[in-house]
Amino acid sequence: MFSKAVLVSGLSVVSAIDNGKGLTPPMGWRSWNLFGENVNQDLIQKQMDGMTSRARTVNGVPTSLLDLGYTDVGLDDAWQLCGEYGPDKNTYHDEVGKPVVDTSVFPNFNAMTDYAHSLGLTAGWYANNCICEDHCDSDACYQEDVNALVAYGFDSVKLDGCGAQLDLQKWSDMINQTGHSILIENCHWGGTVPNATWCPWNYYRTSGDIRASYESVIANLMTTVPFAKQSLSTPGCWAYPDMLEVGCKHGPGGDNDPGLSYNEARTHFAAWAVTSSPLILSHDTTDDNVTDSIWSIISNTEVIAINQAWDGDSGSVYAESTSKVRLGDTIVSSWQQWCKQIAPNSVAVLLINNSPQLQNVPLDLSKCPTFTALGYNGYYSGRDVYNHYNLGTVPTTATYRLHGHDSAFGTFTYG
């Protein structure tokens, strides 16, 4: 087993927001997938400590998640004080449109963002909230949210799809007018997506909320395919099938969050890497047992490098079985071959066994568009990025035997 900038991609021209952010897939951590609404300032700051801890090593060197590139720590929903405000009975904006913070759980946002910055991290906020979603869609509510975003010192923002503030162009314009460069996530669950000339955010959800189950992981992964095939996932405008569930279980999804096995977790992480998805962790970074159990996955620098590489191709599925398996409500191919060009003559290839059973999974490098277009059909230099060793010279086709829900991940170079 082998273990607004204008961007030209192929024949497509994709116009991305020109804020200098998200030129590679963003990396960080966000609170919702594990903690849901059970958050407070102390918890978030302890997660910041976990992100910067060098209690573990990579290649013998003490290394933190921040060192690996996970820079942003994002607070999700449940920071607001729900109520009825003003004559319009706004649910978390006051009578002039200012967002109302629940200071019993978040007593000092500025102290929290200052703490992030002191550690070398950036801090993320959350707007258009789902808990006590607000009906206020006036310019005042938008503007006061943006004013608060800047005044509190946040560096990124997740714009959810629950409340009435759904105008992402307005959000983008108002944020950019502040003069602060702020990373913007579009969390409209695939309902608001870019086209070839419009993308006023840095990354966008292609799916509904993910859960900590293999079925949910694969269902969300598949939502990236049409955007990759249309060259609509590019620097500054990345397709995103939601946060990572590596190391998470028993989160806000209840019975729908059973957790992932080790093999399922590394398949999940590798799939997000090969599709250039933002890598947003969700596990409890202060839980040593959990972090130890997934460290080899989330600290794999070769997999991270594949995620961060850009050579005109965000990565997608290019070969799959005709036989199908049912994963919850989703029917997918029993096995898949995903390819991402990482250099003019080099691709990353992820083979996934979606079956729960051990099976043979074929590799055919001629199916990867990079090699198809250049007419390569011979022998390649291969490397197993899971196990960090060179495979030597490998042929165009081979067969690998993979356990259920496991994968093989490698890079292949011609010439």
Side-chain angles (χ1 to χ4, degrees), residues 348-376:
V349 179
L350 177 68
L351 299 181
I352 299 179
N353 177 12
N354 285 319
S355 167
Q357 308 300 323
L358 179 74
Q359 71 167 330
N360 292 330
V361 177
L363 168 71
D364 186 347
L365 293 174
S366 71
K367 299 293 186 181
C368 296
T370 304
F371 297 144
T372 302
L374 296 174
Y376 294 159

Side-chain angles (χ1 to χ4, degrees), residues 204-226:
Y204 61 99
R205 282 277 293 277
T206 58
S207 67
D209 288 354
I210 195 171
R211 298 269 54 93
S213 71
Y214 188 76
E215 294 81 359
S216 180
V217 165
I218 297 302
N220 279 36
L221 171 64
M222 294 304 297
T223 65
T224 67
V225 172

Side-chain angles (χ1 to χ4, degrees), residues 42-222:
D42 182 63
L43 182 148
I44 297 300
Q45 291 186 190
K46 285 180 178 177
Q47 295 304 314
M48 293 174 181
D49 291 335
M51 295 291 286
T52 54
S53 167
R54 292 195 175 107
R56 295 162 189 84
T57 63
V58 174
N59 298 324
V61 178
T63 303
S64 69
L65 289 167
L66 173 60
D67 294 331
L68 290 164
Y70 300 97
T71 58
D72 194 65
V73 173
L75 167 63
D76 214 275
D77 211 340
W79 55 259
Q80 69 275 33
L81 184 62
C82 298
E84 292 185 353
Y85 301 97
D88 294 328
K89 299 187 184 302
N90 297 334
T91 56
Y92 68 87
H93 293 92
D94 69 14
E95 61 274 9
V96 298
K98 292 182 179 179
V100 183
V101 179
D102 185 349
T103 55
S104 70
V105 287
F106 289 96
N108 191 329
F109 269 160
N110 287 105
M112 188 178 81
T113 60
D114 285 347
Y115 189 66
H117 299 152
S118 74
L119 296 174
L121 296 161
T122 56
W125 206 24
Y126 172 89
N128 202 34
N129 305 28
C130 290
I131 296 172
C132 67
E133 62 187 70
D134 211 332
H135 57 264
C136 181
D137 63 353
S138 68
D139 283 357
C141 281
Y142 280 94
Q143 190 62 63
E144 292 296 347
D145 281 350
V146 170
N147 292 346
L149 176 69
V150 173
Y152 290 137
F154 288 103
D155 308 283
S156 67
V157 64
K158 173 182 174 180
L159 303 175
D160 217 327
C162 291
Q165 296 170 285
L166 296 171
D167 189 337
L168 293 172
Q169 187 65 61
K170 182 179 290 187
W171 276 115
S172 175
D173 291 343
M174 287 187 173
I175 290 170
N176 278 356
Q177 286 166 9
T178 68
H180 293 261
S181 187
I182 291 174
L183 183 77
I184 301 173
E185 176 191 342
N186 158 6
C187 182
H188 284 192
W189 320 301
T192 307
V193 297
N195 58 43
T197 60
W198 183 73
C199 184
W201 51 76
N202 298 112
Y203 59 115
Y204 61 99
R205 282 277 293 277
T206 58
S207 67
D209 288 354
I210 195 171
R211 298 269 54 93
S213 71
Y214 188 76
E215 294 81 359
S216 180
V217 165
I218 297 302
N220 279 36
L221 171 64
M222 294 304 297

Side-chain angles (χ1 to χ4, degrees), residues 314-368:
S314 62
S316 193
V317 61
Y318 288 102
E320 55 192 326
S321 65
T322 56
S323 61
K324 306 293 182 180
V325 293
R326 177 178 287 278
L327 299 174
D329 295 330
T330 303
I331 296 175
V332 296
S333 296
S334 178
W335 59 260
Q336 299 170 320
Q337 175 178 306
W338 297 73
C339 306
K340 176 184 176 180
Q341 180 171 316
I342 55 176
N345 64 336
S346 184
V347 297
V349 179
L350 177 68
L351 299 181
I352 299 179
N353 177 12
N354 285 319
S355 167
Q357 308 300 323
L358 179 74
Q359 71 167 330
N360 292 330
V361 177
L363 168 71
D364 186 347
L365 293 174
S366 71
K367 299 293 186 181
C368 296

Side-chain angles (χ1 to χ4, degrees), residues 224-258:
T224 67
V225 172
F227 299 99
K229 296 295 178 70
Q230 297 175 71
S231 297
L232 291 176
S233 182
T234 60
C237 183
W238 302 106
Y240 176 50
D242 206 2
M243 294 166 272
L244 292 161
E245 290 281 12
V246 178
C248 293
K249 60 181 178 180
H250 310 315
D255 291 342
N256 293 319
D257 282 333

